[in-house]
Amino acid sequence: MEYSEKQLAIINTAEKLFSVTGFDGTSVRDIAREAGVNLAMISYYFGSKEKLMEAVFELRTEKIRLKVENLLQDDTLSNLDKVNILIDDYVEKFISQQEFHKIMMREQLIEKNNPIAGFIHELKKRNLQSIKKLIQDGQKTGEFKKNIDIVLMMITMVGTVSQMITSQRFYREVNNLEHLDEQEFRKHIRKKLSTHLKHLFKISLTNEI
Amino acid sequence: MEYSEKQLAIINTAEKLFSVTGFDGTSVRDIAREAGVNLAMISYYFGSKEKLMEAVFELRTEKIRLKVENLLQDDTLSNLDKVNILIDDYVEKFISQQEFHKIMMREQLIEKNNPIAGFIHELKKRNLQSIKKLIQDGQKTGEFKKNIDIVLMMITMVGTVSQMITSQRFYREVNNLEHLDEQEFRKHIRKKLSTHLKHLFKISLTNEI
DNA sequence: AATTTTTAATCAAACGTTTGTTTAATTTTA
DNA sequence: TAAAATTAAACAAACGTTTGATTAAAAATT
C-alpha cells in the first residue's frame, strides 16, 4: 500500500496518540486536529477508526519480516553469535519504535479476537519458528545444552524489553539519568538491555558464564 | 475502607471488565448491568468512574504491603533463600491476581500523571528498596557477587511474569496445554515461572550454576 | 486549443448513538 | 419517621460516521 503525505501524517499522528492515550482514549477528532486535516478525511481515506489502526499495524510491521531468514543461513557465524545478533536487532527495533510497541502491548491485553490480535499471533509464531531452528542447530553442534525452554526464554526477552519501556521513567529516576536527553537515554538502555539479555541467554543456553 | 456486598460486586465487576476491555473501553452501563445494580449506584457509591478505578486499586493493593519486611529480618534463612521466597511470592500474586495486573500494565502505559500512576510508582519504589537491602546483605556475606544491576533484574522478573500473562494463550498453544483447565494451567505456569526465574536469579547473583 | 465531463480531495455541518453524571421521585431500612 | 438505598428518566457532551456542497485537478470531447 502506497500512502500520500497527508495519509502518512494521519497514520503517524494516530500511532503517537494511540500509544499515549490508547485506542479508546483517542478520538478521531484528536487525530484530525493534531495531524492538521479535516475530520472527514479519516473516514474518507481509511474507512473507519478501526481500519486506521490496522493501517498503522500493516505499515509498521511490513519491514520486520526479512532479516531473520538470511541470518539463519549465514555459516560464517556461530549459533551463539546469531542469537546475540537477534537480541541486538530485537532490542534496537523495540526501543526505536517504542510508540508502536506500546500499542502492541496494549492490544495484546485485549482478549477479544480482533484482526490485530491475529496479526500479532502470526508475528510471534514466525519469530518462534526462527529462533527454534536456531537453537536446535546449536544443540546439534553441541554449542547449546539440551532441555532449553525456548518459549520461556523468548518471554523473558520480550518481557524484559517491554517492561523497560513501560517503566523507563522509573529506571531513569532511580539511576539518576535525568541529565541525559531522550536520544542518549534510549542509547543507554539499548546498550544495557543488549548486554543484560546476551548474558542471560548465554548462561541459559550454554552452561558457561 | 469497608465495602458492602453490593459495593464489592461493583468493584469486582469493574476489575474484570477493565482488565478485559480497558478503562476507556468499559462503560459504566456495562459495569452496572454485569454487576446487577442500577446505573446510578456507581456514582452514588464511588462518585465517578475514575474514583471507582481508584477504589479497585486501593482494595487490591492494600494487602500487598506486609510480608517483605518480616522476611528481611528472618535470620534462619540464607539471602538466596529469601530471594527465592520473594520470587515465589511475586509470581503467585501476579498469576492469581492477573485481572488486576492487566489493569496495572495498561495504566503504566499511559503517560499522563494520574493518581494511579503515582500509586504504582510508590509501589515499585518500595519493592525496590526491599530487594536492594536484601541483595546488599547477600553481598556483605559474600553470597552474592558485586556489580549487580538490581533494577535490571527486577525489570526482568516483572517483565517475564507480565509477558507470560500477556501471551498465555500463545504459550498454551505452542506447548499443547489446551487440555488443562484454567486452574491447572495457572498452576503450571506458576511453577514454570518460579523455576525459571530462580535459575536466572541464581546465576545472575552468584556466579554459580 | 478550448470546452466539457469526470474524478478526487476537502470542508462545515449534521447524523444518530453512546458516554458519564445528575435529578427527582420512590422504596427500603433502621 | 428520618436517613439511606434504589430507580427510571433526563442531561449535556463527546463519540464515530455520513452527508452534500464546493473546489481543484485530470481526462475526454469537441
Side-chain angles (χ1 to χ4, degrees), chain A residues 24-25 102 108 111 121 124-125 149 155-156 159-160 166-167 169 173 192 196 200 203-204 207 209, chain B residues 24-25 102 108 111 121 124-125 149 155-156 159-160 166-167 169 173 192 196 200 203-204 207 209:
Chain A
D24 292 317
K102 278 184 192 169
Q108 286 178 85
E111 303 197 3
H121 197 86
K124 279 188 187 171
K125 258 192 168 163
D149 193 330
I155 285 178
T156 288
T160 300
T166 296
S167 53
R169 224 192 293 191
E173 184 186 319
K192 272 277 176 191
H196 177 66
L200 287 187
I203 51 188
S204 295
N207 276 330
I209 296 175
Chain B
D24 291 316
K102 278 184 193 169
Q108 287 178 84
E111 303 198 5
H121 197 87
K124 278 188 187 170
K125 258 192 167 163
D149 192 330
I155 285 178
T156 287
T160 300
T166 295
S167 53
R169 223 192 294 191
E173 185 187 319
K192 272 278 176 189
H196 177 66
L200 286 187
I203 49 187
S204 296
N207 277 328
I209 298 177

Side-chain angles (χ1 to χ4, degrees), chain B residues 140-153:
Chain B
K140 276 178 202 153
T141 65
E143 265 182 280
F144 301 152
K145 63 183 178 189
K146 306 288 171 192
N147 292 327
I148 295 167
D149 192 330
I150 304 172
V151 186
L152 211 41
M153 286 307 297

Side-chain angles (χ1 to χ4, degrees), chain A residues 69-94:
Chain A
E69 276 72 15
N70 302 330
L71 184 65
L72 279 173
Q73 291 166 346
D74 188 333
D75 54 4
T76 67
L77 296 164
S78 75
N79 287 300
L80 186 59
D81 285 340
K82 291 180 187 177
V83 169
N84 286 338
I85 290 174
L86 276 184
I87 291 175
D88 277 336
D89 196 44
Y90 183 81
V91 170
E92 200 275 322
K93 264 199 189 88
F94 220 104

Side-chain angles (χ1 to χ4, degrees), chain A residues 103-176:
Chain A
I103 301 179
M104 288 243 309
M105 290 187 233
R106 231 189 296 252
E107 281 298 311
Q108 286 178 85
L109 287 171
I110 300 175
E111 303 197 3
K112 85 166 180 290
N113 257 342
N114 47 29
I116 305 285
F119 222 96
I120 298 176
H121 197 86
E122 282 313 303
L123 221 107
K124 279 188 187 171
K125 258 192 168 163
R126 193 148 22 88
N127 279 341
L128 181 63
Q129 287 312 318
S130 308
I131 296 275
K132 211 170 201 163
K133 174 79 171 52
L134 184 47
I135 304 293
Q136 285 168 346
D137 286 351
Q139 286 174 324
K140 276 178 203 154
T141 65
E143 265 182 280
F144 301 152
K145 62 184 178 189
K146 306 285 170 193
N147 293 326
I148 295 167
D149 193 330
I150 304 173
V151 185
L152 212 41
M153 286 307 298
M154 292 297 293
I155 285 178
T156 288
M157 181 175 90
V158 178
T160 300
V161 182
S162 303
Q163 186 62 26
M164 176 61 96
I165 288 183
T166 296
S167 53
Q168 56 187 299
R169 224 192 293 191
F170 179 75
Y171 180 86
R172 202 167 175 145
E173 184 186 319
V174 298
N175 284 300
N176 302 311

